[in-house]
Amino acid sequence: TLAIALVALAAFLSANNLLFLILAAMLAAFLLSGFVSRMGLAGLEIDVSLPEHISARQPVRASVRVRNDKLWMPSFSVLLTGAPESGLSTEHYFPVIPASASLEEPVSLQFARRGKQAERTFQFATRFPFGFAERRELVTTRHEILIYPCLDPQPEFDALLSWVQGEIGSQVRGAGGDFYRIRPYELSESARHVDWKATAHTGDLQIREFSRERDRDVTLFLDLDVPHQHLAWFEHAVDCAAFLSFHLARRGTVIRFCTQDVDWQVPQEKDPYEVLAYLALVEPLHGRKARPVDPSDDDSLQVILTADPARTSKAGWTGRTLGPGTSATTAAQNN
């Protein structure tokens, strides 16, 4: 731009035809550069393939497919970037995208917040052919995705999970010590349980079977009645509920997950991913009373995530309570 301005000034001051020709050539090259850049970005489409399960603040592997719909003109030197809500934080450069062709590139996406997202905005940019200016075009993909709460382990979440697993283990330690019955041996069973006296008496292999106590269930209650000053803590509590329910369910623990508006048995009624989908969209419910304790849950291990422990205790919840300003380690030690 400065060069064009200087040549134009010199041409008008000197009235030199050669300078006017040079000025015309410079202006033509500048306009041609903008036109070619615009043609290069025209007809570009983008498609993002995402995995089925996505958690907030966790990098996920995805693939980006860029297609050039122009019949005869390739696109050169294209730079792909993403808006903050798109999850794409790195730049991807395509030297050339042939006409009527598509290129696929593996990318890493990371979404900052849980919830439902319907649109993601990306930007194509190019300086081709002369680099005089950079032309940009925005492209929006419309595909609804659900982002779960963050499942990254945090020190206090790990402490609470270790305490829950320790309590469950203490309940079943020594299980299987009570004699139940003697029955015929079945294929692939261990020989150390063979009752040799019964085997000698009957002539067939007999197994000594022992009774086993039922594993202790876990009740996880997330209180949705949260004051406005504790909304940041509520997001932290949602992450904690997602972390506990997911990792306990993966270890085969039976969970009763409940809030003011749901009461589910996991995995009997809902699978862990359905719980994560609920937590991805859950919002505070101001003024809703805490769900009363089910009398059948007297033997279950209770974990309560609440902003008002006094109110939940009136409803009968007396388990491990994690509230604002209370770490999981402190809650486990004090209860």
Side-chain angles (χ1 to χ4, degrees):
T1 303
L2 179 61
I4 290 176
L6 291 176
V7 173
L9 180 62
F12 281 103
L13 290 178
S14 65
N16 189 318
N17 290 336
L18 179 59
L19 290 178
F20 277 109
L21 289 175
I22 296 174
L23 176 63
M26 294 175 70
L27 289 173
F30 191 78
L31 295 175
L32 181 63
S33 174
F35 176 75
V36 173
S37 295
R38 183 170 184 176
M39 289 295 295
L41 295 184
L44 292 183
E45 295 182 353
I46 185 172
D47 183 33
V48 182
S49 299
L50 292 166
E52 182 181 1
H53 304 295
I54 306 171
S55 297
R57 303 193 298 279
Q58 283 186 329
V60 294
R61 299 298 298 173
S63 63
V64 171
R65 183 181 294 106
V66 179
R67 177 173 175 79
N68 183 5
D69 284 340
K70 296 187 291 294
L71 296 178
W72 59 273
M73 181 179 177
S75 296
F76 295 97
S77 189
V78 177
L79 184 67
L80 174 65
T81 57
E85 75 278 359
S86 69
L88 182 64
S89 58
T90 58
E91 298 178 343
H92 292 269
Y93 179 72
F94 298 89
V96 58
I97 306 174
S100 302
S102 60
L103 300 179
E104 189 167 349
E105 184 82 10
V107 297
S108 177
L109 302 181
Q110 186 171 349
F111 299 94
R113 294 179 55 83
R114 65 182 177 91
K116 188 176 292 185
Q117 190 182 94
E119 296 182 352
R120 285 156 299 285
T121 302
F122 299 89
Q123 177 181 272
F124 289 119
T126 183
R127 289 182 175 271
F128 183 83
F130 304 128
F132 292 149
E134 182 180 69
R135 178 170 290 275
R136 307 180 186 94
E137 294 290 344
L138 296 179
V139 179
T140 300
T141 62
R142 292 176 173 84
H143 175 67
E144 191 172 274
I145 61 173
L146 189 63
I147 304 169
Y148 300 148
C150 181
L151 297 177
D152 283 340
Q154 301 184 29
E156 57 182 353
F157 294 175
D158 279 335
L160 190 56
L161 179 62
S162 297
W163 172 80
V164 171
Q165 291 176 326
E167 288 295 311
I168 295 174
S170 66
Q171 292 297 316
V172 300
R173 189 174 297 134
D178 297 330
F179 175 74
Y180 180 57
R181 63 171 178 170
I182 292 178
R183 60 171 178 80
Y185 172 83
E186 295 179 1
L187 189 65
S188 76
E189 286 186 313
S190 174
R192 64 190 180 91
H193 296 306
V194 172
D195 189 301
W196 297 109
K197 291 184 178 180
T199 299
H201 181 73
T202 61
D204 296 320
L205 284 175
Q206 301 292 316
I207 289 290
R208 184 182 293 268
E209 193 172 63
F210 299 89
S211 63
R212 187 177 187 274
E213 296 176 5
R214 184 177 63 89
D215 290 1
R216 195 179 189 189
D217 297 344
V218 175
T219 298
L220 178 60
F221 175 68
L222 175 62
D223 187 10
L224 303 183
D225 188 5
V226 180
H228 291 287
Q229 65 269 25
H230 290 148
L231 292 182
W233 172 86
F234 177 74
E235 291 297 323
H236 190 67
V238 170
D239 289 345
C240 183
F243 179 83
L244 286 177
S245 60
F246 181 73
H247 287 281
L248 287 174
R250 285 208 311 176
R251 289 166 171 78
T253 303
V254 177
I255 305 169
R256 179 194 173 200
F257 174 80
C258 50
T259 65
Q260 272 85 341
D261 54 359
V262 300
D263 190 350
W264 296 334
Q265 295 288 334
V266 182
Q268 289 88 342
E269 299 176 356
K270 301 289 183 178
D271 64 58
Y273 288 107
E274 290 179 284
V275 176
L276 292 180
Y278 169 80
L279 291 173
L281 303 175
V282 69
E283 297 293 339
L285 298 177
H286 301 292
R288 290 283 296 273
K289 294 182 179 179
R291 181 183 295 272
V293 175
D294 190 343
S296 63
D297 275 350
D298 288 342
D299 293 334
S300 69
L301 182 65
Q302 295 181 4
V303 179
I304 303 101
L305 306 175
T306 178
D308 190 352
R311 178 168 47 81
T312 53
S313 63
K314 291 180 181 178
W317 297 97
T318 58
R320 300 297 186 268
T321 303
L322 187 63
T326 303
S327 69
T329 305
T330 305
Q333 290 174 348
N334 293 340
N335 294 273

